[in-house]
Amino acid sequence: MQPIYSPGEKGVIVWAATEWADEYAWLVDAQNPGVCSVLVRGDVGEWRTYDMSTSEFLYRVLADEEFKPFGIAHHNLDPEFEPGRSLPGS
């Protein structure tokens, strides 16, 4: 497994997690700017690498029923929205 990213190095930046305990991250290499793989880890599994853009990855998770094991389209979940909380004094 790669270390946590530090500027000028190669490493992982975790950017999201799901209620199912999946973690989403980027593998970033300062020596290869503009290229970053999407890494995904299930609740206790190994990291899997997806060489695609983040937007393509998220589209596949949300809309592609065949995108397993991380896709959710086959669950037929109703859309849900929870507004953000107001900050004190705003």
Side-chain angles (χ1 to χ4, degrees), residues 14-65:
V14 176
W15 52 269
T18 68
E19 63 185 275
W20 297 285
D22 296 336
E23 291 181 281
Y24 301 153
W26 292 300
L27 179 57
V28 178
D29 183 352
Q31 303 304 311
N32 197 7
V35 176
C36 55
S37 298
V38 175
L39 301 178
V40 184
R41 177 169 56 182
D43 55 356
V44 292
E46 296 291 319
W47 287 102
R48 293 180 188 213
T49 303
Y50 292 91
D51 290 321
M52 60 181 68
S53 68
T54 304
S55 57
E56 179 183 356
F57 174 78
L58 290 175
Y59 171 80
R60 303 253 336 256
V61 166
L62 297 171
D64 184 350
E65 292 184 20

Side-chain angles (χ1 to χ4, degrees), residues 59-76:
Y59 171 80
R60 303 253 336 256
V61 166
L62 297 171
D64 184 350
E65 292 184 20
E66 302 302 316
F67 193 63
K68 295 182 180 170
F70 300 107
I72 63 170
H74 63 280
H75 291 296
N76 296 319

